[in-house]
């Protein structure tokens, strides 16, 4: 009896990679003999992050469409055909039982070819507004695991499973790590801590905001933990010389960063939203306006409409930032209510729910 085989595809940003790794880890936990292969886009961050997580990955020559006429857009049809051709040979050689896509450039051609080969495919849609790729793939997918209510308006109702988004398991007990967090970041425990997150690649506008308001933030008796992203680290590393300010290209111990935080400023990518719900701290979302279908604003609004978070549009930052943050800092009751309401929206068992859905499509005679 051969072991189970799974292919996972997701990448481009940490928001697609980490859910895929979380699913792979749960599959490996349940089926230690399982063979797991990742498929990503060449030259994207999954080609480094996935091997670090302990899994093999193969790259496809694929990228997204740009919003303006570029050489990459002109050769996109060629890239798509080449990626579908390569996907066929990867699938033919590996012979997976199930193929799982968590979004990103490579998941489109891979899952499309898998469905044409009559292999069971599972989509994990993280956002409240799905992209074109997942809408395209949904017609042939066996199950579509979603993180928000009302996704039947985009996908076949009978395929939709409300699972939530997979999150890092070390976030389940952040409240027990506050002492460790204070020591790890060398914080002053008499001050409140502001955690600033711009996503795995960083956020130019959020970085500019924090840099221009750094003195004002310190005047509010705040410690600042600031993940600026690798693209911007050289620009802002000098702020590490300032008091009460810790700047990082990337925070390896996000569990401790969340544990340390009293208030969080963040982009509204799907994985970030799911993690922040589980953490249960007051959040001010600053959605990126530069993403497909403005899905980050829709993600944030799903929480704002339930009074579980605050949001400032990028275009309104200069006019609203100080008032919103100061109003939150001065209102302990509001902080507690926001933390409680966002925590009530968390789905800590998302990974297990998704894997149970995957198990439904395994060959019945070899399911444990």
């Amino acid at each position: 009896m051969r072991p189970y085989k799974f292919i996972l595809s997701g990448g481009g940003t940490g928001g697609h990679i980490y859910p895929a790794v979380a699913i792979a880890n749960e599959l490996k936990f349940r089926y230690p003999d399982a063979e797991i292969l990742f498929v990503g886009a060449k030259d994207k961050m999954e080609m480094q992050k996935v091997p670090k997580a302990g899994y093999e990955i193969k790259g496809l020559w694929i990228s997204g469409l740009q919003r303006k006429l570029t050489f990459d857009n002109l050769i996109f049809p060629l890239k798509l055909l080449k990626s579908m051709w390569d996907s066929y040979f990867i699938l033919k050689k590996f012979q997976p039982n199930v193929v799982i896509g968590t979004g990103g450039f490579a998941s489109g051609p891979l899952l499309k070819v898998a469905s044409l080969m009559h292999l069971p495919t599972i989509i994990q849609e993280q956002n409240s507004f799905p992209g074109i790729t997942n809408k395209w793939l949904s017609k042939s997918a066996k199950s579509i695991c979603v993180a928000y209510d009302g996704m039947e308006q985009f996908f076949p109702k009978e395929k939709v499973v409300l699972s939530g988004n997979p999150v890092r398991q070390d976030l389940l007990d952040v409240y027990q790590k506050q002492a460790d967090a204070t020591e790890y970041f060398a914080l002053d425990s008499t001050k409140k801590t502001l955690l600033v997150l711009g996503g795995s690649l960083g956020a130019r506008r959020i970085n500019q905001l924090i840099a221009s308001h750094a003195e004002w933030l310190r005047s509010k008796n705040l410690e600042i933990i600031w993940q600026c992203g690798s693209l911007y680290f050289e620009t802002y590393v000098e702020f590490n010389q300032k008091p009460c300010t810790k700047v990082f290209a990337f925070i390896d111990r996000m569990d401790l960063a969340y544990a340390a935080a009293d208030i969080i400023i963040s982009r509204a990518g799907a994985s970030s939203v799911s993690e922040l719900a589980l953490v249960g701290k007051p959040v001010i979302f600053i959605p990126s306006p530069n993403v497909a279908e403005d899905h980050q604003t829709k993600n944030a609004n799903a929480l704002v409409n339930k009074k579980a978070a605050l949001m400032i549009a990028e275009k309104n930052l200069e006019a609203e930032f100080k008032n919103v943050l100061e109003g939150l800092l001065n209102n302990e009751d509001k902080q507690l209510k926001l933390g409680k309401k966002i925590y009530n929206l968390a789905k800590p068992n998302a990974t297990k729910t998704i894997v149970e859905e995957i198990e439904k499509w395994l060959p019945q005679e070899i399911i444990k």
Side-chain angles (χ1 to χ4, degrees), residues 7 9 12-13 38 60 83 100 105 108 120 139 164 190 193 196 213 236 241 243 246 261 267 294-295 325 338-339:
I7 288 184
S9 181
T13 67
F38 278 71
L60 300 178
S83 294
I100 304 107
F105 305 136
K139 297 178 179 63
T190 66
T193 299
V196 181
H213 288 81
Y236 298 105
Q241 307 302 317
K246 281 87 177 173
R267 283 301 201 202
D294 197 21
H295 67 251
L325 181 57
L338 285 171

Side-chain angles (χ1 to χ4, degrees), residues 92 129 190 199 309 324:
K92 186 79 172 172
F129 193 93
T190 66
V324 172

Side-chain angles (χ1 to χ4, degrees), residues 299-317:
N299 290 346
N301 266 326
L303 276 70
V304 172
N305 291 340
K306 294 178 180 177
K307 295 183 169 54
L310 303 177
M311 179 176 70
I312 309 173
E314 265 200 10
K315 63 183 180 181
N316 299 328
L317 279 175

